[in-house]
Amino acid sequence: MSRKETGKVALHVWDAKAHLQTEDDIRWFLEASHAEAGDDAEFVALTEAIADEARKRLLLIIR
């Protein structure tokens, strides 16, 4: 997309797991997610799954 095109936004895939690099990052992510989720159990489940995947990645890096 050229800069001359107006009214368009370039989007890209954003992977939360890639930004969760420490256990503290994961904890803060979950705290913020749970505060935002309210009573949305599906959203909470999604954020828990993201945190689990991030923890698995961290374990692979540590080994």
Side-chain angles (χ1 to χ4, degrees), residues 15-21 54 57:
D15 183 7
K17 295 181 300 285
H19 299 277
L20 302 174
Q21 299 178 354
R57 189 178 55 77

Side-chain angles (χ1 to χ4, degrees), residues 10-45:
L11 302 176
H12 59 88
V13 175
W14 189 80
D15 183 7
K17 295 181 300 285
H19 299 277
L20 302 174
Q21 299 178 354
T22 67
E23 188 59 39
D24 281 341
D25 290 345
I26 295 169
R27 182 174 45 84
W28 294 327
F29 169 75
L30 287 173
E31 286 176 7
S33 298
H34 289 190
E36 188 68 27
D39 62 350
D40 187 345
E42 192 173 328
F43 184 77
V44 170

